[in-house]
Amino acid sequence: MDKVRAKKKALPAAKVQGSRRVAGVSSAPKRKKPSKLVTKSRTKTKRKAKASVEELLLKVTECVENFEYDLALQYCETALTVAPSNVDVLETSGGLLLELGDVDRATQCFKSAIEFSPNEGHRKYLCLGQLSDGEEAVKLLLKGIDIMTKQFHCQGSSATPCGVGDVTALDISTAYCSLAELYLTDCCFDDDAEVKCGEYCTKALEYCRSNPEAHQLMGSYLLSKLDMEKARSTLLEGLSLWLSTSNDDCCGASFNVEMPSYQSQVSWAKLLIEVEEYEMAHLVLEQLLKEDDEMVEVWYLLGWLAHLRDELPTAGDCLRKCKELYSVSGCQDEQLAKHVEELLEELDDQLPDISDGEEDNSACSSGNEMEVT
């Protein structure tokens, strides 16, 4: 697991109550008004303090662009000493802490941001929702979506700014995807899990039909209902948004929208195998192999796919490569390892012995050779 920041409105300056006259008592001598020079100096100091936070956030952005997350976090911590209730800084700190793997401190940052600005800015709710479980996660995501949709419709009906940053239809669609996913995982045993999952998948597609993730989740939901045909149709529509089968493309794929993450593409391949779209699954796995040819799960899926297509020699090559990588990669998926052993035993009964080191080019239509040890 992709961003809008929220900013708290500045509080009005505190008023200093003037001295009151009491009957029979002479008033205290009047204090001289500060000179214009002193007033300007104070104003400059205030502006400088305010600007320092903005400057620090600019430094944070520069560091993030260079993947210097530790240094970026230091700038955030400095900014919080100047403005401890600055929601923008708190949210940015939370994001950086997540990148650095400090979930507990990130959670605290997002909670503080909610405390200081509960009704403005959706990002903190979505982030905290992703870090939470079950019903608590649902509540946080729904609150974030509520803020997003209000801002989204406000943007469309008014020329005046409704908040910090724009909310897109894709942003809302992606948030609904997170909700739907909860009802496929954490909340899958709730009485209304099926209804809620279908509802949120539908909303995700209504807001942004061009969101591949929404199609992927709807396909998964339909498979859980054993509706194979609708699942296949939905998945193919989503796949067409980012994967092209054009022969003109030397890599076999061209992308019209933001490319799904590596792990998301692995999930696409699994779903396509489930709906028996073997050729499309092979194209996705082939693309993944070009990006990283040492992923245990990708070689396993290539082997399983070849087995399903009765391409037994290729299945053997891929599964042996998977087994080899499993032994050196530190992968701990015991179920995968067990299935690989079962398939290899089955293949040994059906095929003559295949000598170690044999190469098979048919597993990757791009022409790249697969080295099998």
Side-chain angles (χ1 to χ4, degrees):
M1 323 154 143
D2 0 55
K3 292 153 179 184
V4 182
R5 296 176 177 173
K7 190 180 289 182
K8 187 184 174 187
K9 291 182 179 178
L11 294 172
K15 293 181 180 178
V16 180
Q17 187 178 357
S19 57
R20 294 181 179 177
R21 282 189 154 200
V22 181
V25 180
S26 61
S27 62
K30 291 183 181 179
R31 293 182 180 178
K32 290 183 179 180
K33 289 184 179 180
S35 67
K36 288 184 179 180
L37 186 61
V38 173
T39 306
K40 283 183 181 178
S41 176
R42 288 177 184 171
T43 306
K44 255 187 187 177
T45 305
K46 287 180 181 178
R47 283 179 183 167
K48 190 175 179 181
K50 183 179 179 182
S52 66
V53 175
E54 294 168 357
E55 288 165 4
L56 287 166
L57 284 174
L58 285 174
K59 289 287 187 184
V60 169
T61 303
E62 290 174 11
C63 291
V64 170
E65 288 173 354
N66 293 319
F67 304 102
E68 297 173 325
Y69 299 127
D70 286 300
L71 183 56
L73 183 60
Q74 289 177 30
Y75 282 122
C76 279
E77 289 170 346
T78 302
L80 285 173
T81 61
V82 178
S85 61
N86 188 302
V87 175
D88 213 16
V89 179
L90 285 166
E91 288 186 351
T92 303
S93 298
L96 288 167
L97 287 164
L98 283 181
E99 287 287 347
L100 295 168
D102 194 337
V103 176
D104 291 338
R105 286 177 64 199
T107 299
Q108 190 53 54
C109 282
F110 294 129
K111 284 182 176 179
S112 297
I114 288 173
E115 181 183 344
F116 288 121
S117 182
N119 297 313
E120 292 181 15
H122 60 273
R123 185 182 170 216
K124 51 187 177 286
Y125 286 104
L126 300 186
C127 290
L128 198 53
Q130 295 285 356
L131 297 174
S132 305
D133 300 312
E135 201 57 39
E136 180 64 21
V138 171
K139 288 178 182 177
L140 288 163
L141 290 172
L142 283 172
K143 177 65 176 178
I145 289 172
D146 179 57
I147 293 172
M148 291 174 82
T149 51
K150 285 177 181 176
Q151 184 175 336
F152 180 74
H153 294 301
C154 180
Q155 288 167 188
S157 61
S158 173
T160 57
C162 303
V164 179
D166 290 332
V167 173
T168 67
L170 177 60
D171 293 333
I172 299 175
S173 175
T174 301
Y176 273 120
C177 285
S178 296
L179 264 178
E181 195 170 6
L182 273 174
Y183 285 100
L184 285 170
T185 52
D186 290 17
C187 304
C188 63
F189 294 113
D190 290 8
D191 293 337
D192 59 350
E194 185 178 312
V195 174
K196 289 292 186 184
C197 184
E199 176 188 340
Y200 296 137
C201 282
T202 300
K203 283 184 176 292
L205 286 170
E206 284 175 353
Y207 267 97
C208 189
R209 193 85 195 175
S210 61
N211 181 6
E213 186 185 1
H215 290 277
Q216 186 188 60
L217 278 165
M218 179 61 90
S220 186
Y221 163 71
L222 291 168
L223 274 174
S224 72
K225 293 183 66 180
L226 304 179
D227 194 338
M228 180 75 79
E229 288 307 313
K230 283 186 179 178
R232 179 185 291 114
S233 174
T234 299
L235 289 168
L236 289 176
E237 182 183 346
L239 191 68
S240 69
L241 295 169
W242 62 274
L243 183 71
S244 171
T245 57
S246 170
N247 292 328
D248 297 331
D249 191 339
C250 61
C251 296
S254 61
F255 307 101
N256 303 316
V257 297
E258 185 177 349
M259 186 174 177
S261 67
Y262 194 95
Q263 195 54 48
S264 177
Q265 290 180 62
V266 172
S267 298
W268 272 103
K270 290 178 181 177
L271 290 169
L272 290 165
I273 290 173
E274 281 195 64
V275 297
E276 299 178 0
E277 282 292 334
Y278 297 150
E279 187 61 34
M280 293 295 105
H282 185 270
L283 282 173
V284 174
L285 290 168
E286 182 183 68
Q287 186 66 27
L288 289 169
L289 204 61
K290 290 173 184 174
E291 189 174 337
D292 187 343
D293 63 357
E294 294 189 352
M295 292 298 291
V296 171
E297 193 172 18
V298 173
W299 283 102
Y300 160 70
L301 290 171
L302 278 167
W304 174 232
L305 178 58
H307 182 273
L308 292 171
R309 299 169 85 177
D310 289 325
E311 298 170 354
L312 302 186
T314 299
D317 290 340
C318 293
L319 292 169
R320 286 182 179 85
K321 182 67 175 179
C322 173
K323 184 178 178 179
E324 173 198 326
L325 290 171
Y326 187 94
S327 65
V328 297
S329 66
C331 179
Q332 297 181 343
D333 190 335
E334 294 179 3
Q335 199 169 12
L336 180 149
K338 183 181 178 182
H339 193 211
V340 168
E341 289 296 342
E342 290 171 355
L343 290 171
L344 285 172
E345 286 177 14
E346 185 180 329
L347 287 170
D348 287 341
D349 293 337
Q350 297 179 51
L351 293 172
D353 291 338
I354 301 175
S355 60
D356 289 342
E358 181 179 347
E359 297 177 351
D360 191 302
N361 294 335
S362 62
C364 188
S365 61
S366 66
N368 291 345
E369 293 185 347
M370 296 181 180
E371 295 182 1
V372 182
T373 307

